[in-house]
Amino acid sequence: MLKDACDRMLAEKPAWTGSELAEIQPHYERARQTVIVMSPEWLARQTPKNDSPDAIGDFKHKMLHLVGNNLKKLGLDEQARQVELHTLQIIRKAETIVEARHLARDVQSWLTAHGDVMRLVRVAELRGLKDVGNDYARKLQGIGERIQLSEVAQARTQLSDFLAKLKESEASIIKRGSALWQAKVRSEDDIMSLQTEVDALIMAFENVPNDLEDLQLMRRGLRLYDRAFRRLSDDNLEWKELGDLAAEIRKEICDAFGNEELPWPPDKTIDGFIHDISKRRKDLSVAWIDGVEKDAADVAAMNATEANRLHTRLGAPPAVLTEPHATRLEHINKKLTSRLGILSVEWLVEKFKELPEKSRKEFLSRLRDITNAK
């Protein structure tokens, strides 16, 4: 105000005497000197009222347009420059605080929206979240180097924990996929278990082409092995037929996959099937021959009905019967044949009873013909 007054008096000099101007000039000089002396301390205390955009705008207008222009009017260019530097620094800091808090809120919202990460089973989604999370982490690190805020520190800690969970979840799924290459397929239970796991992992690796291709190959292989196991499990197959079928299936599977590599090679896998199936077939053979031997223990005392029933049973041994058990069956048959020889007439009657009505009449008719002919 004193500066403006002096300037007007100089401009209107004919209207003002030199003594009148000299009366005001010392007051102006003292005031200007006071500004020079007090400026650093005053400037250090100048900050926006808060970090809202309006408060920052008001602060910028006050410092640069009002105070800055006044200092320039006083010829205090250095003080005006210091005000400008301080103001821009404060504004940058305030804007950084706003940016940091906004970023921290964004991170918190994103973490809340994806808090159920442990339930995710798709690798592509996990990797997508990891990419977003890593981008947030870089931003938080960058802004953390510019300003220290508790909100930023908290967001960084929570984000780090979240990214660790993402990494753990992805690693768990990848480990399950790798385990398939170490798995063995020897039984129907193995096939069912692996089919369930492969189907689950195909969903998990959706939109991950390389891994998905391997898993789809495995699913094809398991389906072929499942059909193969069912064919080989037919208990109506003779032992030689079982061996021939196994060789045929090996060739079919090798031809089906060509140069494509399965975790479970056809030769070893089919051999495993045969081992498992053979064990079960041998158990069935043991159970059957043990039962027959138990029932034939008193063959010498059997009546015609009992002997005929046993004869019918021995005449239809299961296809799973092993050679050693076939030898034991032959021994029983010899005993039974001897007994049936003794009971030949009674046995003939038993066989007659088994005939249908029409065959009985035909039998009796032929018997009469033979009797009459004699």
Side-chain angles (χ1 to χ4, degrees), residues 335-346:
K335 291 183 179 181
L336 182 61
T337 300
S338 176
R339 179 59 181 168
L340 288 173
I342 297 172
L343 301 171
S344 57
V345 175
E346 291 87 344

Side-chain angles (χ1 to χ4, degrees), residues 73-132:
K73 185 183 293 185
L74 295 176
L76 302 177
D77 292 339
E78 177 57 25
Q79 284 73 14
R81 190 179 71 83
Q82 292 299 323
V83 166
E84 182 177 358
L85 290 175
H86 175 78
T87 301
L88 294 178
Q89 183 180 8
I90 292 296
I91 290 174
R92 280 195 298 271
K93 183 177 180 181
E95 289 174 344
T96 299
I97 292 174
V98 171
E99 180 186 354
R101 287 176 175 165
H102 181 73
L103 177 60
R105 284 194 296 270
D106 284 349
V107 171
Q108 293 285 359
S109 297
W110 184 74
L111 290 173
T112 300
H114 300 94
D116 59 349
V117 62
M118 296 307 292
R119 290 188 292 173
L120 289 176
V121 293
R122 285 180 169 81
V123 171
E125 292 181 31
L126 291 172
R127 290 176 179 173
L129 287 174
K130 191 166 65 173
D131 288 342
V132 175

